[in-house]
Amino acid sequence: MGANIETGTKVRLLLERFSDRRRLHLLDHARYGDEGVVSLPSRAPDMARLYVIVHFGQCGHDHRLLEDEFAVIDGSS
């Protein structure tokens, strides 16, 4: 899963994936259209297969996301 997207790829969260309000922090990123950048994959092999790590500069946190929770807006930089 996560290995399909290159580090440095710019992404935006898909609002419809966070509308259930369980992940309010990510819902805010989606609402504001924040751009995230795919970071280095998790060092844990199982996590790296499941999740893509995305960093949002506005908040300074890395987030574990499934590939269907965001859209690529630019190729790797």
Side-chain angles (χ1 to χ4, degrees):
M1 225 186 215
N4 298 333
I5 299 179
E6 294 182 35
T7 300
T9 300
K10 293 179 185 177
V11 300
R12 278 204 181 95
L13 300 185
L14 299 172
L15 184 58
E16 63 272 12
R17 296 293 290 148
F18 299 98
S19 60
D20 64 4
R21 302 174 97 38
R22 288 184 302 175
R23 295 163 75 188
L24 293 176
H25 180 78
L26 293 173
L27 177 61
D28 283 343
H29 282 303
R31 280 185 180 150
Y32 294 114
D34 294 342
E35 285 187 12
V37 178
V38 174
S39 300
L40 293 173
S42 172
R43 285 179 250 171
D46 289 340
M47 292 291 262
R49 279 192 291 277
L50 289 174
Y51 298 105
V52 175
I53 306 300
V54 176
H55 178 81
F56 291 95
Q58 303 84 317
C59 72
H61 294 284
D62 290 334
H63 303 288
R64 290 184 311 228
L65 298 166
L66 299 172
E67 285 188 38
D68 67 351
E69 294 179 323
F70 60 85
V72 172
I73 56 174
D74 192 328
S76 60
S77 33

